[in-house]
């Protein structure tokens, strides 16, 4: 079972028939769904839990990613609800995340803790798998999904939203969208040699961008896009993938 979808806010299923499975890891236990879609087994994991009860700063990212690795996963597509700090991307738009700026503060962000192991670093030249990103762009049109562009994801600690001045700073640093979960998920995937890509769904304007911040439309925005996005993921998974078009499986630098 080498393919998985991680659903962010508003994306709690990916269709198909399935059953639930609990996987124990040294970081904790993780519940996931195993879906059978057209004969292919695809794992679905709800990032915030099935009832959306785990806030971004308390998600057990290491358990989630290790559990997927232990199930044999090599390819992950994920979704993320994000605010926009780029005037060109408005609520309802879909963007492919290409890089990140890390403003998290207090979460474990690595599996590499030294001790028995040697000191390891991980290459971040392509944090989000270039092959999965390209394939998503290639197949989105077929599903009637309009991609607005690529974006740099600013990851904040949360759960509070940002101040207007913080958003001003993020814009100046080259950020396009803001969320609270891509770090450390994207880093841990790379440490495990997994190809990982995130599709951002803009749920709101960031603080100070357009009057008041409103999240009341979030469910509607997600509903509009989630099926098309997960259909693209599944289409790509069913066509088959390999790791020869990216460096995700060889990104660890060992000293
Ligand atoms: N800021 C941070 N995280 C978010 C936002 C936002 O505006 N929207 C959705 N997740």
């Amino acid at each position: 079972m080498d393919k998985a979808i991680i659903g962010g806010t508003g994306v709690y299923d990916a269709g198909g028939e399935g059953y639930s499975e609990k996987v124990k890891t040294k970081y904790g236990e993780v519940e996931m769904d195993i879906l059978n879609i057209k004969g292919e087994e695809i794992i679905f994991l709800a990032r915030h839990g099935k009832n959306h009860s785990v806030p971004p700063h308390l998600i057990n990212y290491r358990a989630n990613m290790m559990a997927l690795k232990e199930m044999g996963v090599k390819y992950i597509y994920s979704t993320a609800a994000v605010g926009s700090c780029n005037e060109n991307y408005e609520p309802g738009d879909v963007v492919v995340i290409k890089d990140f700026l890390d403003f998290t503060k207090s979460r474990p962000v690595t599996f590499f803790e030294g001790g028995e192991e040697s000191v390891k670093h991980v290459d971040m030249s392509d944090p989000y798998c270039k092959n999965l990103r390209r394939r998503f762009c290639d197949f989105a049109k077929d599903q009637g999904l309009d991609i607005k562009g690529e974006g740099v994801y600013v990851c904040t600690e949360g759960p509070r939203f940002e101040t207007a001045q913080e958003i001003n700073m993020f814009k100046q640093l080259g950020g396009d969208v803001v969320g609270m979960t891509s770090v450390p998920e994207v880093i841990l995937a790379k440490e495990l040699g997994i190809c990982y890509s995130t599709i951002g769904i803009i749920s709101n304007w960031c603080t100070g961008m357009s009057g008041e911040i409103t999240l009341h439309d979030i469910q509607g925005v997600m509903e509009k896009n989630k099926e098309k996005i997960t259909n693209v993921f599944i289409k790509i998974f069913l066509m088959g993938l390999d790791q020869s078009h990216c460096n995700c499986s060889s990104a660890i630098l060992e000293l």
Side-chain angles (χ1 to χ4, degrees):
M1 239 177 279
D2 62 356
K3 301 175 184 84
I5 295 171
I6 299 180
T9 301
V11 180
Y12 305 114
D13 67 79
E17 294 287 301
Y19 59 93
S20 186
E21 179 137 336
K22 287 188 177 151
V23 181
K24 282 202 176 85
T25 75
K26 70 182 266 202
Y27 302 99
E29 192 174 76
V30 178
E31 189 176 355
M32 55 186 78
D33 292 334
I34 317 290
L35 308 174
N36 188 314
I37 303 179
K38 296 191 180 155
E40 177 91 28
E41 286 195 302
I42 296 173
I43 298 176
F44 181 84
L45 177 64
R47 182 183 290 121
H48 296 269
K50 280 194 176 163
N51 310 315
H52 198 80
S53 57
V54 189
H57 63 299
L58 296 180
I59 292 170
N60 192 342
Y61 295 97
R62 290 195 297 188
N64 283 353
M65 300 310 279
M66 190 55 86
L68 294 175
K69 178 76 180 177
E70 285 174 11
M71 292 295 287
V73 167
K74 287 192 195 161
Y75 310 99
I76 300 175
Y77 273 113
S78 70
T79 67
V82 288
S84 172
C85 60
N86 176 335
E87 284 80 4
N88 299 315
Y89 298 155
E90 54 187 58
D93 285 348
V94 172
V95 293
V96 176
I97 306 300
K98 65 170 178 193
D99 208 339
F100 69 81
L101 290 163
D102 179 9
F103 282 85
T104 63
K105 294 183 180 134
S106 67
R107 353 178 140 172
V109 290
T110 182
F111 290 116
F112 301 158
E113 303 283 21
E116 301 273 285
E117 286 180 38
S118 59
V119 172
K120 290 185 206 159
H121 303 278
V122 71
D123 179 17
M124 283 285 113
S125 3
D126 270 312
Y128 301 89
C129 173
K130 59 183 176 193
N131 187 42
L132 291 191
R133 281 162 47 201
R134 189 175 49 80
R135 293 189 69 100
F136 188 84
C137 294
D138 288 350
F139 289 106
K141 264 232 165 76
D142 287 6
Q143 294 297 322
L145 179 71
D146 188 27
I147 301 174
K148 255 306 165 67
E150 291 193 311
V152 173
Y153 182 117
V154 181
C155 194
T156 63
E157 182 64 18
R160 71 166 176 87
F161 271 32
E162 302 70 41
T163 66
Q165 198 51 39
E166 285 170 331
I167 293 300
N168 231 334
M169 172 179 74
F170 294 153
K171 279 168 73 174
Q172 289 184 45
L173 293 178
D176 297 299
V177 297
V178 183
M180 302 173 190
T181 56
S182 202
V183 175
E185 203 169 87
V186 59
I187 301 169
L188 298 172
K190 194 72 87 193
E191 288 186 354
L192 293 171
I194 296 173
C195 293
Y196 174 93
S197 165
T198 297
I199 305 306
I201 308 166
I202 313 271
S203 55
N204 58 281
W205 288 111
C206 285
T207 313
M209 293 286 295
S210 159
E212 263 178 52
I213 189 158
T214 53
L215 277 179
H216 67 273
D217 284 340
I218 187 162
Q219 214 48 43
V221 164
M222 294 297 149
E223 284 302 320
K224 184 178 135 224
N225 289 304
K226 73 172 195 199
E227 205 173 319
K228 284 183 187 168
I229 292 174
T230 51
N231 282 346
V232 180
F233 295 165
I234 288 163
K235 181 158 188 194
I236 296 166
F237 283 162
L238 293 178
M239 288 187 71
L241 285 163
D242 64 64
Q243 291 196 302
S244 64
H245 307 283
C246 61
N247 305 321
C248 299
S249 61
S250 56
I252 295 172
L253 312 165
E254 217 162 335
L255 299 179

